[in-house]
Amino acid sequence: MYDEMMYEFDRLYEAWKKCRRGKLQKTEVIQFELNLSEELVKLQRELKEKTYRIGDYYKFTVYDPKKREIQALPFRDRIVQHNLCDNIASPLMERHLIYDNSACRKGKGTHQTIKF
């Protein structure tokens, strides 16, 4: 069941929408979106056939507020990551967490925690 959730086209599409927020000007995002349906179908096929492999991280340095080295996944891998975390893992874990746990949960957070 969870295997199928990993490669459902609608879930991959929703993950793509989340992944592109704030990154519409990035070359890697634009290139992916030029052939969006083909890219998502290719990703879906790789996940279904279990031939998907994570790409190489790319490294860059950020100097604000201090120097930090960042390692980031390629855009297509971030789509898979969003799908796994947001569409599969979070709903499964949500039902097992106590109500008072506000960390990284939809509809909760700092403001919810302050109310306690």
Side-chain angles (χ1 to χ4, degrees):
M1 175 181 149
Y2 299 118
D3 280 355
E4 294 170 7
M5 293 171 74
M6 195 63 196
Y7 57 79
E8 285 178 7
F9 187 86
D10 291 342
R11 290 179 187 274
L12 290 171
Y13 181 78
E14 289 302 315
W16 162 75
K17 288 195 307 189
K18 289 179 182 177
C19 204
R20 71 192 288 260
R21 283 188 205 143
K23 297 180 176 39
L24 298 175
Q25 306 303 322
K26 302 236 180 217
T27 304
E28 144 177 73
V29 176
I30 294 167
Q31 288 175 340
F32 191 90
E33 291 181 3
L34 286 173
N35 299 308
L36 179 61
S37 58
E38 290 175 25
E39 291 289 343
L40 288 178
V41 167
K42 180 180 175 186
L43 199 52
Q44 180 185 37
R45 185 175 53 250
E46 290 175 14
L47 290 166
K48 187 173 186 176
E49 295 172 356
K50 297 182 178 13
T51 59
Y52 168 77
R53 296 290 174 257
I54 296 174
D56 293 332
Y57 283 79
Y58 60 94
K59 299 173 185 169
F60 58 97
T61 305
V62 175
Y63 295 93
D64 185 31
K66 62 182 181 180
K67 182 179 176 183
R68 294 180 290 148
E69 187 175 299
I70 308 295
Q71 296 184 36
L73 284 169
F75 184 71
R76 73 187 310 263
D77 295 329
R78 290 194 302 264
I79 294 171
V80 174
Q81 185 179 41
H82 270 276
N83 188 36
L84 177 62
C85 294
D86 298 344
N87 297 334
I88 299 171
S90 288
L92 286 172
M93 291 188 311
E94 186 68 29
R95 61 184 118 149
H96 298 288
L97 298 173
I98 62 171
Y99 177 81
D100 295 340
N101 181 345
S102 298
C104 300
R105 291 175 67 190
K106 198 176 254 183
K108 295 199 174 195
T110 311
H111 298 297
Q112 176 72 21
T113 304
I114 291 172
K115 290 179 184 177
F116 291 120

